[in-house]
């Protein structure tokens, strides 16, 4: 009597859950890998499909259990490691980010500043060195080589009749002599290199003898007397020879000595140099029979 008292609604609610009234459905199994093991071995677990369950509520419980077993394996596998890492929304483990101090622009600015400083230092060095060289050059300018023509000795002087290379008859002159020149270097900080232009003995605008001083080096604060050989061999005089009077008793030949002296001092190596030039002119009269040297007084020559 107690059982018959159940309401019809209760019987209706229990009817779907009764296995005798539900038709038998096919059974299949879902195989999922197990992630619970630490050693990497994989085991298969067979779980009944949702269709095996006679009622819908059991499908919900099974689905929740299956999902829980799948995700629990992941966390259990990482639980054996030392420490745990936090994961972001995408499941990637989080790591500490190293932040560099400053900006890359600061390094570029520092590099530019260093290059600018190096350029300023180099420019300052060049400027100071240039100023130093200019000061040294200006201080060395007053130190000019002092040139003095000492004497001219005649070893041979001959005038005779002859003809030039084309056969034109004219008077011919042959001369051989030596010129002595005194050079003084007053500079206290550098030596000088001394050279000369051709040293000519000129008669009526005709060079009757010539020679040249060999280049040499003269130390600071020093005197030196150099000798230059002057030679002229069968020089044709042409029309100038008509005014030349030569006799067995002697004769004089008015002439002029012309040349230039160049002195170059290297003050600071080859970077700073000082150069001086002098043009020297000395009038003289040559006695063809005299063997005495012709001495020049200090004011006999012009030094330009």
């Amino acid at each position: 009597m107690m059982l018959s008292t159940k309401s019809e609604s209760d019987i209706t609610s229990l009817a779907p859950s009764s296995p005798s009234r539900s038709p038998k459905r096919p059974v299949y199994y879902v195989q999922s890998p197990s992630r619970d093991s630490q050693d990497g071995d994989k085991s298969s677990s067979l779980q009944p499909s949702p269709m095996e369950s006679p009622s819908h509520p059991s499908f919900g419980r099974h689905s929740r259990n299956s999902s829980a077993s799948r995700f629990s394996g992941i966390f259990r596998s990482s639980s054996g490691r030392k420490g745990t890492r936090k994961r972001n929304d995408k499941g990637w483990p989080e790591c500490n980010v190293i932040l560099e101090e400053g900006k890359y622009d600061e390094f570029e600015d520092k590099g530019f500043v260093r290059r600018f400083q190096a350029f300023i230092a180099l420019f300052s060095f060049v400027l100071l060195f240039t100023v130093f060289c200019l000061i040294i050059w200006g201080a060395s300018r007053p130190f000019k080589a002092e040139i003095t023509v000492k004497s001219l000795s005649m070893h041979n002087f001959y005038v005779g009749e002859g003809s030039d290379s084309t056969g034109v008859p004219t008077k011919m002159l042959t001369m051989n002599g030596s010129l002595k020149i005194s050079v003084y270097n007053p500079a206290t900080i550098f030596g000088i290199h001394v050279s000369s232009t051709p040293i000519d003995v000129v008669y009526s605008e005709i060079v009757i003898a010539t020679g040249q001083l060999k280049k040499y080096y003269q130390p600071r604060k020093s005197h030196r007397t150099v000798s230059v050989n002057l030679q002229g061999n069968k020089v044709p005089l042409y029309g100038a020879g008509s005014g030349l009077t030569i006799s067995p008793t002697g004769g004089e030949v008015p002439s002029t000595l012309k040349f230039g002296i160049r002195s170059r001092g290297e003050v600071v190596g080859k970077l700073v140099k000082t150069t001086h030039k002098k043009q020297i002119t000395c009038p003289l009269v040559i006695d063809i029979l005299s063997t005495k040297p012709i001495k020049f007084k200090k004011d006999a020559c012009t030094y330009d």
Side-chain angles (χ1 to χ4, degrees), residues 239-250:
S242 60
L244 185 62
T245 304
I246 301 295
S247 65
T249 58

Side-chain angles (χ1 to χ4, degrees), residues 43 70 84 87 100 103 113 119 131 134 180 182 222-223 228 234 253 258 268-269 275 287 295 301:
S43 62
R70 291 179 184 179
T84 57
R87 295 177 178 271
E100 296 183 359
K103 299 180 180 179
V113 170
F119 173 77
V131 173
L134 288 175
K180 288 185 178 181
S182 175
S222 62
H223 289 267
V228 182
K234 295 181 181 182
V253 180
K258 295 180 179 180
V268 183
T275 303
D287 189 349
K295 293 185 179 181
C301 301

Side-chain angles (χ1 to χ4, degrees), residues 10-232:
D10 294 336
I11 297 173
T12 303
S13 62
L14 294 176
S17 62
S18 177
S20 60
R21 294 184 182 183
S22 61
K24 189 175 183 180
R25 297 175 184 177
V27 179
Y28 65 92
Y29 297 89
V30 179
Q31 183 178 0
S32 61
S34 176
R35 300 181 183 178
D36 297 338
S37 58
Q38 296 278 334
D39 55 357
D41 295 338
K42 296 181 179 180
S43 62
S44 300
S45 62
L46 299 178
Q47 298 176 357
S49 66
M51 301 299 297
E52 181 185 7
S53 177
S55 62
H56 182 71
S58 63
F59 171 75
R61 288 192 299 270
H62 171 75
S63 177
R64 285 193 296 271
N65 293 335
S66 176
S67 300
S69 63
R70 291 179 184 179
F71 288 99
S72 63
I74 300 175
F75 292 102
R76 284 197 299 269
S77 63
S78 61
S79 61
R81 299 177 185 177
K82 296 181 179 180
T84 57
R85 292 185 179 179
K86 295 181 180 180
R87 295 177 178 271
N88 55 17
D89 297 337
K90 296 183 179 181
W92 294 96
E94 296 182 356
C95 60
N96 295 327
V97 179
I98 301 175
L99 298 178
E100 296 183 359
E101 296 182 358
K103 299 180 180 179
Y104 289 103
D105 295 340
E106 296 179 0
F107 293 101
E108 294 179 358
D109 295 340
K110 290 181 179 179
F112 174 76
V113 170
R114 289 178 180 177
R115 289 193 296 271
F116 183 74
Q117 290 175 349
F119 173 77
I120 291 298
L122 180 61
F123 178 77
S124 301
F125 173 77
V126 172
L127 180 61
L128 291 176
F129 184 75
T130 303
V131 173
F132 171 76
C133 292
L134 288 175
I135 293 174
I136 296 297
W137 178 81
S140 64
R141 289 293 296 171
F143 297 101
K144 301 179 181 180
E146 298 178 4
I147 311 298
T148 304
V149 180
K150 303 296 288 184
S151 64
L152 174 63
S153 299
M154 300 303 301
H155 307 303
N156 186 17
F157 195 94
Y158 174 77
V159 178
E161 296 293 334
S163 61
D164 61 4
S165 59
T166 62
V168 177
T170 182
K171 289 183 178 181
M172 311 291 289
L173 188 149
T174 299
M175 175 182 169
N176 186 8
S178 59
L179 179 68
K180 288 185 178 181
I181 304 172
S182 175
V183 181
Y184 171 62
N185 178 21
T188 58
I189 58 176
F190 60 91
I192 58 174
H193 297 269
V194 183
S195 60
S196 75
T197 62
I199 301 174
D200 299 330
V201 179
V202 181
Y203 169 72
S204 186
E205 298 184 358
I206 298 176
V207 178
I208 59 177
T210 186
Q212 190 166 0
L213 175 65
K214 292 182 179 181
K215 184 179 179 179
Y216 72 95
Y217 174 78
Q218 185 165 335
R220 59 185 180 177
K221 299 291 291 185
S222 62
H223 289 267
R224 183 171 180 176
T225 300
V226 295
S227 180
V228 182
N229 190 28
L230 303 177
Q231 290 183 347

